[in-house]
Amino acid sequence: MAEALRVGIAGLGTVGASVARVLSEKAAELTRQCGRPIVVTAVSARSKRKNRGVDLSKAKWFDDPVKLAADADIDVFVELIGGEEGPARASVKAALEAGRHVVTANKALLSKHGVALAEIAEKKGVLLNYEAAVAGGIPIIKTMREALAGNSVNRVFGILNGTCNYILTRMEAEGLSFDECLKDAQRLGYAEADPTFDIEGHDTAHKLSILTALAFGTRISAGDVYMEGISNISQADIRAAGELGYRIKLLGVAQRTESGIEQRVHPTMVPTASVIAQVHGVTNAVAIETDILGELLLSGPGAGGNATASAVVGDIADIAKSRPGFQHGPVFGWPAKQLKPYKKAQMRSHAGGYFIRLTVHDRIGVFAAIAKRMADNDISLESIVQHSAEADAQKTVILVTHETTEAAVRKATDGITKDGHLTTKPQVIRIERAG
Ligand SMILES: NC(=O)c1ccc[n+]([C@@H]2O[C@H](COP(=O)([O-])OP(=O)(O)OC[C@H]3O[C@@H](n4cnc5c(N)ncnc54)[C@H](OP(=O)(O)O)[C@@H]3O)[C@@H](O)[C@H]2O)c1
């Protein structure tokens, strides 16, 4: 039998400890599948004394993950510390420079430094695998990098953050407020103590920026992603969406348009009958539209120790199976040096349907004024619904537009606001085509 693959794991938290456990519990299966054993020979974390729920007594301990990364006695460095800078970045860079294969689940790191790290990996002829970095256990990276060779992607979109999908699902199913659902998500360990990163869309933006590079062969730029979170979604929006045949999801969408590559993360109305609208709770889903295949949707667990470990172990097994001296495919599907800068489509040129919820003073002329602002901006309406007074002297008007542009909608809602008929800020939610 071939020699064992020696694995060094830095970070023994939720994911790291699960990876060590799976490698130990599934050792026999993995050996059969890979033709050689996979053995954890070195580990690093902050606390040496913490019980990790798996026997790591035979693995060499390193206080410093950078030293572990460059250790001559490992073949693969597995980074499960997290964070875009600090020890995660330093150790991954050190491992690649020392000619070690690397596996990571770190979307923040790849979103910021992925191209530079891929250049080192490709120069050194080693693998940089990161299946767990996007949509946890869903094999989306392999699908896009390998299975869709030859396809041109038009659009990739998905539910990439389980915390947000959990909150939106419960708000709809149980009529609870955003704050109540967020508290439950925190209690159940789905959301961090500081949930900003998830609920304001940053986490989705990091993952989307990686998918964009894979889809379009472009450089990664999370800063180019337009971002709106879900914290201002109310029961009024959820109810109105349901009445109109829609469900609200936080989507990340990357799309090729006439004005460039559009990357956006925002609450989105998707038709209730669409497949992506059936993705509930912490589950993730990614849809890809290509010229040859058409539309493909993958869904599954997007986070958690086991699901994420499944993807990390799959990446390690690929390395165990790889043949020495074999030229590996490029990290992001195209050679890192050839990833192109791209024209960023401005959000104001986004074209699509819009849901607009207005809370207005209950007085004569308001309806006509709203209709005039819409017409002045060439916005044609698919439906207009007026709800009777929610509170004294107040009405809700819900508009659904046909395809228009973001610029037109912003001008129209600015105009309506200036007219002085609104009692609160207009709520605007984009509608996404989904099969
Ligand atoms: N959790 C998920 O469901 C999930 C899903 C997909 C991707 N990911 C990604 O996976 C990575 C790990 O996430 P996680 O949830 O497992 O994080 P975590 O539970 O916070 O674990 C982080 C680990 O890193 C160790 N660590 C921190 N600083 C260190 C340092 N300077 N040197 C050595 N070790 C250090 C910690 O040591 P101590 O234990 O001793 O404190 C801990 O074991 C992140 O990039 C995350 O984005 C996580």
Side-chain angles (χ1 to χ4, degrees), residues 8-33:
I9 304 179
L12 295 170
T14 308
V15 182
S18 294
V19 168
R21 207 180 46 249
V22 173
L23 288 176
S24 154
E25 287 171 3
K26 300 289 178 144
E29 283 94 326
L30 285 164
T31 303
R32 259 204 327 275
Q33 288 169 336

Side-chain angles (χ1 to χ4, degrees), residues 376-394:
D376 287 350
N377 289 288
D378 290 328
I379 299 174
S380 90
L381 297 176
E382 184 181 303
S383 76
I384 178 159
V385 180
Q386 186 175 295
H387 282 276
S388 49
E390 286 177 347
D392 286 345
Q394 235 174 231

